[in-house]
Amino acid sequence: MKIDLNLKIGGAAGQGLQTTGMALAKALKKSGFHVFATQYYLSRVRGGHNTFQIRISDSPVFAMNENVDILLALDSASIEQHLSELSDGVVVVDSDEIEVKQTADSIFHVPMLKIAKDVCGDKIYSNSVSMGAVIGLLCLELSDLESILKTTFKKKGEEIIQKNIDAARAGYNYVKENYPGGCKFEISDSDEKENMMLVSGNEAVGLGALAAGVQFLAAYPMTPSTGVMTYVAANADKFNVVVEQAEDEIAALNMILGASFAGARSMTTTSGGGFSLMAEALGLASITETPAVIFLCQRPGPATGLPTMTEQGDLQFALYAAQGEFPRCILAPGTPEECFHLTAEAFNIADKYQIPVFVMSDQYLADSLFTCPRFDTSKVKVERHLLSDQELRTKKEEYKRYKLTPMGISPRTLPGQAGVLVVADSDEHDEFGHINETPENRIKMNDKRMKKLEVLREEMPAAKVYGNRDASVTLVGWGSTYGPLAEAVDILNDGGKSVNLVHFTHIHPLPVEATRKLLSKAKKTVCVENNSTGQFSRLLKVDAAINVTEHVLRYDGKPFSPEFIIAALKEKEVI
Amino acid sequence: MVSMDDYGKFETAWCPGCGNFGILKAIKQALVNLGRSPHEVFIASGIGQSSKLPHYLKCNAFNGLHGRSLPPATGAKIANHELTVLAVTGDGDCYGEGGNHFLHTVRRNPDITMIVHDNQIYGLTKGQASPTSEMGMKTKVQTHGVFNMPLNPLSMAISLDCSFVSRGYAGNIPHLTKLIEKAIQHKGLSLVDVLQPCVSFNKLNTFKWYSERVYEMEETGYELNDRVKAFEKSLEWGDRIPLGVFYMNEKPSFENHLDVLIQGPLYKNVPKTELVNELIDGFV
Ligand SMILES: Cc1ncc(C[n+]2csc(CCOP(=O)(O)OP(=O)(O)O)c2C)c(N)n1
Ligand code: SF4
């Protein structure tokens, strides 16, 4: 990694942080860098202090590091709070607008508002001035930013596009003229990377659902899950998807169960608070054996918790929510590629096993932007697992929705066809779906459902090992923490330590044998989780009788950084 | 030709003499009269004595959770709008636990026929007050008598501009049959609130009590599309209780506004997954 730069934009909500950050991230990606971008925002529409951070590298990056090289300060809080994060960097600030108490060579004044007014006649173009200034400081060509501005403002027409480009150029020129020595980051010679995408976790989940042929999505908005709902809605017409904003989460899950029962590939999206309301219908999905995909995007709880922050605090809840004992499946992607493929896989598992399947993400993965290889759609298969017309025509007996089979999976067909009736019940039922409360029937039906879990367990792939198989310390992680963990492993190994990562994406039912094989050899295991109780390590203990040696836990609402992980490992004297 | 036999005969878990029997008969008869075969019919129900109904006739059924008959019914209608979709529910189920879904399903207006067994009591849980119980009614829970104002489902539906609002009576099967037929034929959400005596727990609103009061409104030559008059009519309750269609509003149903359904049922659509590559291009 020759190039590793961090750009932090700080400002109040409503100041265009997102637009500026997104455009810069896209332009830098277009210039051929690996880009990782993440946001820290408060639960308010205007005001407060938020940040948008972009990391640029010549190697793949999936996490933030804690050092800032360029600070674009759009408010005074940016300087107060983040100046100390700069080791050798520069601050770009419009000191006409923002009072800067400090004086230092590294503070670059760019009169963004004045330039915007002079060049474009309106201060709203100051965001584009700032983008140009940043590109100028990085000594890159302006052309990539220009083309991004063209697509960003496409809908607003030629005039607006031109004004934004003019503003960016003016910012760029200002920096070039006034700070000729400012170009201290030698990053200009990056090679164009073919077929790389810049995508957020939520967009990747939306793409995965569309690739899997989702037909119906019903949901109730809740941060940070809403991005998936809006992404699918934005493309619904093109893909023939029906998206409905339900009156509440209870309706959302019940609605998709009705739709799924009648044959539409269906999903819902929510966060912990909304999922609390869905708990009852989760059990309904399972006892009626109706396929359902639930995108559960975590944020810190309990109750409304920290609405815009991140945490992996709902694993136990997803594992155990709703009364009774029944099968479910939990997948937790760690990268956008995994978001894409695991979402598609979730639909196939739901259809095959006729159970609820979770795709568990969190605010960090949902809202961060990642550079990653282009998703390979040829790997996505749509498997509906429905009885064929031929099979239906030649069936000998009356159709039984809950036919007892050795695998526990009953042949599924849809209502509306001559000669078959499909009956589902939330009460314990017989093979036809009619209420049956006898003890013998209960045992048969319960065993049938639970059997599916054991069959599915066989199919669940083992965790992935990152780094040397025989390392002396093994970090254990699941889901969204993949990026910071993998980078921590790289840094430690570069520094002469022997550390690897065993990372889980297929959480439940846990492939027990494979997990034991992977972890029983490990000399020291450290489970790293974004929660306060080590929920995944408890799962390892309960399901696979594996005791991890140590824990690194973070639950302040923020995601892990590699530095945080390494510091914690040192403090615990694990390395 | 579809006949009553096609809908089968089943043993029920209802008390002898319950109003539910009349409703079951009327539903079957209405479906037969409309020539609907069992496989074309989908009934979603909640939980309660009433909600067991789909187990007592042949049809496709989704007997879900207490209060939640409407969301699965809506989902199923979206997935396959060729199905004749009914939601069978109780007064507790529909107006209590599922009150929010009632409000919003009326607003959404899917082409579903909602049949509410309104016995003004909770049957399955053995006799507590329901949202439509009369004030003063004493139960083991409402020991001082019901204090809460009974909810008027018809006024509420009319105020929400529900597409079809009607009331039937389990003791008048021919009339109820006609009403259900009309409700099924109506495009959009249809409410059939059915006065249903519960012989075990509601000692106030008995067959005798209802029979002395109900009258068929059709005879009075009343306008169906006048929302204000309908609202006024819906307030009539006491010595005389009107039966029939109170209000009708021909407006596009929810499925109507979904362009994708023009090509056929949603579930039959082959998703255009190949277009995902175009979207991916936008991220490259
Ligand atoms: C979530 C939930 N709460 C409570 C119950 C218990 N419960 C079952 S039926 C019922 C009320 C039934 O009343 P109503 O809907 O009027 O139907 P009826 O039995 O009178 O036909 C209740 C409270 C339940 N099954 N689920
Ligand atoms: S309890 Fe009431 S409603 Fe239920 S079956 Fe008996 S009489 Fe009918």
Side-chain angles (χ1 to χ4, degrees), chain B residues 186-207:
Chain B
H186 180 84
K187 289 266 164 272
L189 190 79
S190 310
L191 168 65
V192 187
D193 185 75
V194 189
L195 304 174
Q196 174 236 323
C198 166
V199 295
S200 297
F201 298 112
N202 188 337
K203 305 294 181 198
L204 226 57
N205 313 101
T206 57
F207 272 107

Side-chain angles (χ1 to χ4, degrees), chain A residues 280, chain B residues 20 47-50 66 90-93 97 119 121-125 130 196:
Chain A
E280 187 196 27
Chain B
N20 285 335
I47 296 294
Q49 294 288 68
S50 39
H66 187 44
D91 46 345
D93 199 68
E97 189 85 77
N119 54 9
I121 196 93
Y122 281 12
L124 190 57
T125 46
S130 92
Q196 174 236 323

